[in-house]
Amino acid sequence: MPLNNAYGQQQQGYTNVDQPYSNQPFTSSAWLEKEQSRGKRSKWIVIGTLVAVVILAAVGIAVGVTVAKSHSGSSTKSGSSSSSPSTVKQDDPNDPSTFQKDDRLVKSFYGIAYTPENSQYPECGNKLEDVITDIQLLSQLTDQIRLYGGDCNQSALVLEAIKQTKVNMSVWLGNYPIPTDPTPYERQRDAIIDAIKTYGTDHVAGVTVGNEYILNWLTSNGADDPNSPIGNVGAQMLLANVTDTRNAIEALNLDKKIPIGTADAGSFFNTELLQNVDFGMSNIHAWFANVSIDQSAGWVNDFFQETNVAVANALPNQPKMFIAETGWPTASKDVGNESNGPSTASEPNLQIFLDTFVCQANKNGTGYFFFEYFDETWKDAQFGGVEGHWGLFYSNRTLKDIKIPTC
Ligand SMILES: *[C@@H]1O[C@H](CO)[C@@H](O)[C@H](O)[C@H]1NC(C)=O
Ligand SMILES: *[C@@H]1O[C@H](CO)[C@@H](O)[C@H](O)[C@H]1NC(C)=O
Ligand SMILES: *[C@@H]1O[C@H](CO)[C@@H](O)[C@H](O)[C@H]1NC(C)=O
Ligand SMILES: *[C@@H]1O[C@H](CO)[C@@H](O)[C@H](O)[C@H]1NC(C)=O
Ligand SMILES: *[C@@H]1O[C@H](CO)[C@@H](O)[C@H](O)[C@H]1NC(C)=O
Ligand SMILES: *[C@@H]1O[C@H](CO)[C@@H](O)[C@H](O)[C@H]1NC(C)=O
Ligand SMILES: *[C@@H]1O[C@H](CO)[C@@H](O)[C@H](O)[C@H]1NC(C)=O
């Protein structure tokens, strides 16, 4: 069921799995989101790309229907998932900084990707007490997290939770603009600026403007090369937002420089855009690329080095590149989507990925954000497949059956 974008063009019905606006018909490929490559730097990329085109054609209709269905029932979605913030005990119930540590948790991760529960505009329903629980847990695993968007007051909630828990945590704030509508960008920019004014910069590591913007832009225009003329048009649109955020932050006259960058699927970085950002964050998922678990950690590293780091280092400004998302799913809503070729979603496989990626990437000096903190029930409902099952924790904030590696 093809959807129409704001330009009236027909497009395939893919939905971006990170899409924070639950009622937006704006779409992209949930499947190849991350790995579809124009780079052709090595043979697995070429294979993945050929397969990608076939999947794009075959899967689009089914996903479109799924999305359409979930929209028709979306009015009941907000607040439907009940959380259990009591998973972390506090010595003083009124002082979140007195939380008790969980000895299964080890601070081994460079960073972790995080979206507070119920932060999908306009169905906001997030709660400070939940975010405090999340920060108490996350701070035992890492000292850096990244957000995807700035809606539903999530920037302030996270910074308030860091303040109350008194943990050593930095956050990469996020703005998730939509190419077809200036309002979401501006709304999130204002919320981010407000949060920085209120909480200062001590716990702000940077601001990411754009999440899979180029991938979405190309997909909705029937294109696939981020450096094609159409890719450059999208890049200039996003660059306007990047520059606007840079100016808004400079106008605050802060004592510290806040880096401004962008995040996209691994093969969708536009060079003109990269030349004008301080950093790039790249989504790299071996599971979507049909890579078996045994080869996944090395594959993610090779992909990142060849497709992202080498390219960025050749630019005059040499933007710092991070892996924005990498991880492994543990389950699928339906058995049929549990495996993607040789990649199988399971907790033992998440364990293998943890054991082969985390400490090795630390040692290699790779900046990465493990995907992700917990299972997201809204994604399971809206997209199905493995989308809602990438967490280290289940959605109820119970640790999965995994052992966190000690580096
Ligand atoms: C956003 O969150 C902060 C921290 O909890 C709170 O002080 C503020 O009132 C919230 N703003 C809105 C508009 O909800
Ligand atoms: C606090 O976190 C920052 C990164 O967010 C890290 O560089 C620093 O080493 C941490 N400090 C301590 C004492 O753990
Ligand atoms: C942000 O980008 C959108 C399109 O993506 C554009 O409509 C809007 O004008 C931009 N806003 C600013 C302030 O740059
Ligand atoms: C770490 O570096 C080694 C040597 O380059 C490489 O073989 C390995 O794949 C890397 N692992 C990760 C997870 O970065
Ligand atoms: C990847 O997995 C899908 C789904 O199982 C399959 O259709 C496709 O042929 C696989 N591709 C490769 C290159 O293994
Ligand atoms: C699940 O698998 C079926 C058959 O391969 C496919 O048509 C469908 O799009 C998949 N759904 C999701 C959400 O992955
Ligand atoms: C949390 O969810 C998991 C997976 O659904 C379940 O096995 C576990 O019993 C739940 N834990 C609690 C405390 O509810």
Side-chain angles (χ1 to χ4, degrees):
M1 181 186 286
L3 304 167
N4 288 322
N5 67 18
Y7 306 108
Q9 296 161 325
Q10 238 186 26
Q11 59 191 35
Q12 289 167 302
Y14 300 102
T15 299
N16 181 347
V17 292
D18 299 321
Q19 174 61 267
Y21 306 107
S22 49
N23 64 347
Q24 289 271 344
F26 186 66
T27 61
S28 82
S29 156
W31 283 80
L32 277 185
E33 51 171 347
K34 324 296 181 182
E35 300 345 312
Q36 191 179 11
S37 173
R38 302 294 121 199
K40 302 184 179 61
R41 285 193 176 78
S42 45
K43 66 176 179 303
W44 44 260
I45 296 184
V46 176
I47 293 167
T49 303
L50 293 175
V51 171
V53 174
V54 177
I55 296 175
L56 283 171
V59 174
I61 294 168
V63 175
V65 171
T66 307
V67 171
K69 270 191 204 145
S70 82
H71 286 160
S72 62
S74 67
S75 56
T76 54
K77 205 163 40 165
S78 157
S80 58
S81 52
S82 57
S83 53
S84 48
S86 57
T87 46
V88 179
K89 293 202 167 47
Q90 293 175 191
D91 292 339
D92 175 351
N94 297 317
D95 182 352
S97 74
T98 64
F99 66 94
Q100 293 172 8
K101 301 276 168 63
D102 180 336
D103 56 20
R104 296 169 305 165
L105 304 183
V106 191
K107 214 170 187 174
S108 294
F109 295 86
Y110 177 88
I112 296 179
Y114 171 55
T115 297
E117 189 175 357
N118 294 325
S119 297
Q120 286 73 49
Y121 188 88
E123 298 172 42
C124 308
N126 51 21
K127 296 201 287 281
L128 179 60
E129 61 179 308
D130 287 344
V131 178
I132 285 174
T133 300
D134 296 342
I135 296 297
Q136 288 168 332
L137 293 171
L138 281 161
S139 66
Q140 299 176 64
L141 294 166
T142 187
D143 47 36
Q144 287 189 74
I145 53 175
R146 66 176 289 252
L147 298 174
Y148 289 84
D151 268 322
C152 304
N153 201 26
Q154 60 183 292
S155 318
L157 286 173
V158 166
L159 288 166
E160 177 67 27
I162 293 170
K163 186 177 163 190
Q164 291 197 23
T165 53
K166 302 191 172 86
V167 296
N168 182 40
M169 180 70 84
S170 292
V171 52
W172 297 76
L173 300 172
N175 188 326
Y176 197 137
I178 303 295
T180 51
D181 179 2
T183 314
Y185 165 75
E186 288 163 15
R187 184 177 61 230
Q188 294 173 82
R189 173 202 61 200
D190 294 348
I192 287 168
I193 295 295
D194 272 358
I196 293 176
K197 278 187 188 160
T198 306
Y199 295 97
T201 58
D202 286 357
H203 298 280
V204 177
V207 178
T208 308
V209 180
N211 182 56
E212 300 192 337
Y213 185 102
I214 300 296
L215 168 61
N216 290 336
W217 167 254
L218 290 173
T219 307
S220 63
N221 285 285
D224 54 19
D225 179 353
N227 290 302
S228 62
I230 188 81
N232 288 339
V233 171
Q236 290 307 320
M237 288 166 61
L238 179 55
L239 192 52
N241 289 180
V242 168
T243 305
D244 180 70
T245 291
R246 202 186 288 287
N247 292 341
I249 286 180
E250 268 168 21
L252 297 176
N253 281 314
L254 303 170
D255 46 7
K256 161 177 152 188
K257 178 175 156 65
I258 304 284
I260 315 289
T262 193
D264 220 304
S267 302
F268 288 87
F269 283 90
N270 172 279
T271 306
E272 291 178 13
L273 182 59
L274 271 185
Q275 280 172 337
N276 288 285
V277 289
D278 301 316
F279 65 87
M281 293 217 183
S282 171
N283 294 342
I284 306 176
H285 287 296
W287 190 90
F288 283 110
N290 296 40
V291 178
S292 73
I293 185 61
D294 303 323
Q295 291 169 20
S296 287
W299 180 88
V300 169
N301 179 59
D302 290 352
F303 184 101
F304 180 56
Q305 299 302 334
E306 293 173 23
T307 313
N308 302 134
V309 175
V311 172
N313 284 347
L315 298 176
N317 60 324
Q318 301 195 319
K320 180 161 171 53
M321 299 304 285
F322 298 88
I323 298 176
E325 291 186 351
T326 195
W328 198 268
T330 57
S332 171
K333 191 176 186 178
D334 56 317
V335 177
N337 289 301
E338 207 169 75
S339 292
N340 193 30
S343 329
T344 299
S346 73
E347 292 190 16
N349 282 351
L350 172 57
Q351 184 67 59
I352 293 173
F353 192 71
L354 288 166
D355 290 342
T356 52
F357 182 81
V358 173
C359 299
Q360 292 80 349
N362 293 350
K363 199 169 152 222
N364 289 353
T366 304
Y368 64 88
F369 295 83
F370 203 86
F371 186 77
E372 61 180 325
Y373 165 61
F374 67 166
D375 285 353
E376 302 202 53
T377 45
W378 71 277
K379 287 189 182 176
D380 199 47
Q382 197 165 325
F383 307 115
V386 298
E387 296 296 351
H389 300 276
W390 291 76
L392 296 167
F393 296 85
Y394 299 111
S395 59
N396 62 11
R397 299 176 172 80
T398 299
L399 188 67
K400 287 181 180 174
D401 187 15
I402 50 173
K403 187 172 186 303
I404 305 296
T406 302
C407 301

